Amino acid sequence: MSFIDKLPYEWAVGIRYTRAGKRSARNSFISFISLISVSGIALGVAALIVVLSVMNGFQKEVTDRMLSVVAHIEIYNQRGDMPEWQGVIANSFKNPAVKGAAPFAETQGMLMYDGVMKPALLRGVLPAEESKVSDVPTKIVQGKFADLRAGEFNIVLGIELARSLALKVGDKVTLAVAPGQSVSAEMAPRMVNFTLVGIFEAGHFEYDSGLAFVHMADAQAIANLAAPAGVRLRLADMHDAPRVAQELSASLPGQLLVRDWSKHNPTWFAAVQSQKKMMFIILVLIIAVAAFNLVATLAMTVTDKQADIAILRTLGSSPRSIMKIFMIQGALIGIIGTAVGVSAGVLLALNIDVIIPFIERAFGIQFLSKDIYFISALPSDLRWNDVFGIAGVSVGLAFLATLYPSFAASRVKPAEALRYE
């Protein structure tokens, strides 16, 4: 006796209907339609998993590159400078999530070289401390970050900023500072000459094209600050930044402003989340179409099996049992399609770094141009909560698709069904 024969008869009949034997051309056609329904569900599930994984990968790649330059949390003093910055760092380390801290100072200016002018954010740092809060010292592609020394007015530029000014290491570049930020009372901007000692490449265009690093003492002198402007923090887990920022804001003394990394570009993060939601809705429609095919499959099965339904009713089966048979059939089709789709989607998402290069080599194409996107490989970040959510939606839609055909089957009247048999 097989395993199926040991099941309740509703399960046994539902599974047999799913397999749809080859007794007639009609049964073969129903089996083919069932296969199409399974394939449609599997295709929709796999596509949704792969697309969301790629979008998560893009978001993670951009975030990682941004956080190689931006600290997880920044703390400012509303007065403009922070003489008590060492105490702020000591208090910040009382939070166990904080793993690194360093002071900084910032000012806006205009860099000029050979008749070309480019705006830049000038960030003053302590070179020996910067590695505690960012990865910039490891992103140097030319020169040395350690060559930023107090009083020497050396500067490190992003690679796109240096390229747009046609600068190379050792060149002199002029910084123009607005009168309001200068120690001079004159209306004309103050000009400060810097020597380019390094070029970094973070891989994020916004920072590569508009950020410059100098020693903090030089930045304080240019911005007329008696102390650092604030403190930058790095956390053990960057995703804890909003929570930790709220905790620090409540625990630190004084009128301090605390900002986490997600506030640096909130529009971009909001746009990514909106795109993910819209893409999820669009691809769920593919699964919904497959579910409509499932409705058609079950409706055809109910029509074809009316004589079987009538016989089961005369043998004592209740309308509830008949409805259960076809719900089991539809649910099995949905579960099989979802399982195949999840397997295929996970396999593709985990190996997209191998599959895409193979396709590019085979057809001589390139999906991502490094000159445009600054990345040449298609990123993927598979998240199991997405996989489980997609699988749940797919199975749920498949189950809903069984309700009407199953209800119609339970309403079949034995006498009318057997009249012409």
Side-chain angles (χ1 to χ4, degrees), residues 133-200:
V133 294
S134 81
D135 299 328
V136 173
T138 65
K139 301 292 183 179
I140 300 296
V141 294
Q142 295 180 37
K144 296 180 180 179
F145 195 78
D147 285 343
L148 295 178
R149 289 183 283 267
E152 295 188 6
F153 289 92
N154 294 331
I155 192 169
V156 172
L157 301 181
I159 188 169
E160 292 301 317
L161 183 56
R163 185 178 298 163
S164 63
L165 290 169
L167 287 169
K168 59 182 181 296
V169 174
D171 287 342
K172 298 286 185 178
V173 62
T174 302
L175 173 72
V177 183
Q181 295 175 294
S182 173
V183 295
S184 174
E186 299 175 1
M187 292 302 296
R190 182 185 179 192
M191 303 294 182
V192 184
N193 291 324
F194 282 89
T195 302
L196 181 62
V197 295
I199 297 175
F200 72 89

Side-chain angles (χ1 to χ4, degrees), residues 56-186:
N56 289 335
F58 270 115
Q59 184 177 3
K60 183 177 184 297
E61 187 77 16
V62 173
T63 302
D64 288 346
R65 294 187 179 199
M66 184 180 71
L67 291 180
S68 68
V69 178
V70 177
H72 294 165
I73 291 178
E74 293 180 348
I75 305 174
Y76 299 88
N77 195 316
Q78 294 184 8
R79 297 194 309 265
D81 57 9
M82 186 184 290
E84 71 283 7
W85 62 271
Q86 292 176 324
V88 172
I89 289 179
N91 287 327
S92 298
F93 274 117
K94 293 179 181 179
N95 191 307
V98 178
K99 298 302 178 183
F104 75 102
E106 285 183 346
T107 185
Q108 295 282 350
M110 188 74 68
L111 290 174
M112 299 180 292
Y113 179 77
D114 197 21
V116 180
M117 302 176 63
K118 293 291 180 179
L121 174 64
L122 203 69
R123 178 174 296 165
V125 298
L126 296 177
E129 304 292 318
E130 183 63 18
S131 60
K132 296 179 180 179
V133 294
S134 81
D135 299 328
V136 173
T138 65
K139 301 292 183 179
I140 300 296
V141 294
Q142 295 180 37
K144 296 180 180 179
F145 195 78
D147 285 343
L148 295 178
R149 289 183 283 267
E152 295 188 6
F153 289 92
N154 294 331
I155 192 169
V156 172
L157 301 181
I159 188 169
E160 292 301 317
L161 183 56
R163 185 178 298 163
S164 63
L165 290 169
L167 287 169
K168 59 182 181 296
V169 174
D171 287 342
K172 298 286 185 178
V173 62
T174 302
L175 173 72
V177 183
Q181 295 175 294
S182 173
V183 295
S184 174
E186 299 175 1

